[in-house]
Amino acid sequence: MPYDPSNPLKDRITDIGPKSYEEFLPPVIKKNFGKWAYHEILEPGVLVHVAESGDKVFTVRVGGARLMSVSHIREICEIADKHCDGYLRFTTRNNIEFMVDAESKIAPLKQDLLSRKQVGGGFKFPIGGTGAGITNIVHTQGWIHCHTPATDASGVVKAVMDDLFDEFTSMRMPAQVRISLACCLNMCGAVHCSDIAILGYHRKPPMIDAEVIDKVCEIPLAIASCPTAAIKPGKVKKPDGTEAQAVQVNNDRCMFCGNCYTMCPAMPLADDVGDGIVIMVGGKVSNRISYPKFSKVVVAFLPNTVPRWPETTDCIRKIVEVYSADAQKYERVGDWAERIGWEKFFEKTGLEFTHHLIDDFRDPAYYTWRQTSQFKF
């Protein structure tokens, strides 16, 4: 068809940009789009959404992984083809949701999902992650793909969720518990606002490879990359006695973020002793009951003890158990800590309080800008 200036998108064929999401909606969802009356959680991992027309969609949620093999994705698609007419969706926390249009289809779908096991005997598709429980951990790249991590992502998440598996498949917490992980403080995860957050942290400034920095780096770019202005131009003497352009790092100003290494591969800062994990708690983005909150540091450093990170899993298990036993219904972790007082939080969890944990962040924007949809007139 010839181009029609009055309707430029008509008969347009292109591979630029994604297709319309409407093409991937199950027919019952497309039919009732924007006209849903309510939803309920029938049991852990199983939901029903009811439309104004009376149509229903039943969803079975299973835990997924952020990094998946092609064979695993093909198995997911096979299940969707077998039970759900080929439709499925991924949640923002890496869960997989299989949707059916009749309650009678739930039981065979669940049976098929739970029958699929890993070689070691673990579930490939554990059902859960809904309501007042612990859902999947949203996390970053870690050692497998990122260049600035202070800890792994997938490995830590696997260890923590193995330990908390029973809380994923049940709903016995006082409220939902959101756990997240970022493998460095550049934080492409959501650790700033999660109930429990795992943060990889560097404790040493970048090293400078003086022999190659002037060959592989643009010095002005490396200097400009530092958010705290801790880097300035400098010169170094090479082993052959010649001088070369380089940089100097003000260690007192460095916050160990790794931005300089992103711009300059001759400034690595990964260190097996200096790198480790920080635990933060009390954040949330929800406006329910109380305002959104930032997470607060409660453990300043835990070592990277591979492959199962026992110090990290034990710490998180302790926080979850005390919160579960002591919090009131519907209280998130931060709401519970503020109600009993942070002093009592440390006392009940047995975590040591040090001067490293004092929250001294002050910024007018933090306490003057409206951060919530809760209005008082």
Side-chain angles (χ1 to χ4, degrees):
M1 294 289 293
Y3 174 71
D4 182 1
S6 62
N7 189 5
L9 296 182
K10 184 179 180 182
D11 299 324
R12 183 168 179 248
I13 300 175
T14 179
D15 58 355
I16 299 173
K19 293 186 176 182
S20 171
Y21 64 88
E22 292 185 355
E23 294 183 36
F24 308 101
L25 294 177
V28 65
I29 293 181
K30 191 171 184 178
K31 173 187 172 185
N32 297 282
F33 191 83
K35 298 177 181 178
W36 298 96
Y38 64 94
H39 74 276
E40 295 177 349
I41 301 174
L42 302 179
E43 59 184 86
V46 180
L47 305 94
V48 59
H49 289 75
V50 182
E52 295 170 357
S53 64
D55 292 340
K56 296 181 179 181
V57 174
F58 298 89
T59 301
V60 177
R61 179 181 293 177
V62 303
R66 187 179 189 272
L67 302 172
M68 295 182 177
S69 66
V70 173
S71 59
H72 187 62
I73 294 172
R74 283 177 173 159
E75 189 170 2
I76 293 169
C77 294
E78 176 208 326
I79 296 170
D81 287 338
K82 182 177 178 181
H83 297 277
C84 313
D85 299 322
Y87 294 99
L88 62 92
R89 68 182 292 269
F90 288 88
T91 73
T92 55
R93 300 193 77 86
N94 310 316
N95 292 308
I96 309 155
E97 292 189 344
F98 297 98
M99 298 165 288
V100 295
D101 55 7
E103 192 168 4
S104 59
K105 297 179 181 180
I106 295 177
L109 172 58
K110 287 178 59 181
Q111 184 179 1
D112 189 5
L113 290 167
L114 295 177
S115 69
R116 298 174 186 251
K117 301 287 186 71
Q118 303 282 5
V119 175
F123 292 103
K124 283 186 177 180
F125 304 103
I127 299 172
T130 55
I134 295 178
T135 189
N136 215 346
I137 297 178
V138 64
H139 65 88
T140 55
Q141 299 280 2
W143 289 334
I144 196 169
H145 191 60
C146 186
H147 61 289
T148 59
T151 189
D152 191 23
S154 302
V156 181
V157 167
K158 169 66 174 168
V160 171
M161 284 307 291
D162 278 354
D163 188 56
L164 298 175
F165 181 78
D166 290 341
E167 307 305 334
F168 178 84
T169 57
S170 62
M171 299 191 300
R172 58 192 183 193
M173 291 280 120
Q176 63 182 22
V177 178
R178 296 287 185 259
I179 304 177
S180 63
L181 182 146
C183 47
C184 75
L185 55 71
N186 289 305
M187 198 182 69
C188 55
V191 296
H192 66 299
C193 56
S194 296
D195 293 289
I196 300 174
I198 308 162
L199 172 64
Y201 187 61
H202 299 287
R203 294 190 298 174
K204 296 184 178 181
M207 298 167 277
I208 300 172
D209 189 343
E211 291 191 39
V212 300
I213 188 170
D214 61 331
K215 296 182 176 67
V216 300
C217 302
E218 294 183 27
I219 303 298
L221 193 60
I223 295 170
S225 71
C226 182
T228 61
I231 304 175
K232 64 180 181 180
K235 290 189 176 183
V236 294
K237 274 196 174 182
K238 292 186 176 183
D240 60 5
T242 60
E243 277 194 342
Q245 295 291 333
V247 296
Q248 296 177 357
V249 178
N250 183 339
N251 293 349
D252 292 334
R253 293 184 67 92
C254 179
M255 69 176 190
F256 323 121
C257 66
N259 278 353
C260 54
Y261 181 53
T262 302
M263 297 292 105
C264 177
M267 297 181 69
L269 78 164
D271 182 88
D272 60 342
V273 176
D275 294 354
I277 285 174
V278 172
I279 302 295
M280 308 167 72
V281 306
K284 71 185 187 87
V285 295
S286 166
N287 284 283
R288 189 172 178 274
I289 299 178
S290 62
Y291 290 178
K293 297 176 174 65
F294 281 133
S295 308
K296 297 180 183 296
V297 177
V298 296
V299 178
F301 187 81
L302 294 170
N304 275 321
T305 310
V306 297
R308 299 297 293 177
W309 284 267
E311 298 88 351
T312 300
T313 56
D314 290 347
C315 177
I316 293 174
R317 163 63 69 178
K318 188 184 305 181
I319 295 170
V320 168
E321 287 180 347
V322 176
Y323 160 73
S324 177
D326 195 56
Q328 297 175 357
K329 193 173 183 180
Y330 304 124
E331 264 187 339
R332 298 285 289 270
V333 174
D335 296 328
W336 162 66
E338 290 184 352
R339 177 176 61 82
I340 65 173
W342 283 99
E343 298 88 351
K344 281 288 183 183
F345 169 88
F346 283 95
E347 180 183 313
K348 287 176 179 287
T349 57
L351 300 176
E352 181 185 3
F353 181 85
T354 72
H355 69 281
H356 297 290
L357 309 180
I358 296 175
D359 184 2
D360 60 353
F361 176 75
R362 296 293 180 268
D363 187 293
Y366 181 61
Y367 49 80
T368 60
W369 288 3
R370 182 171 294 282
Q371 305 167 53
T372 174
S373 61
Q374 295 183 14
F375 285 86
K376 293 182 179 179
F377 294 96

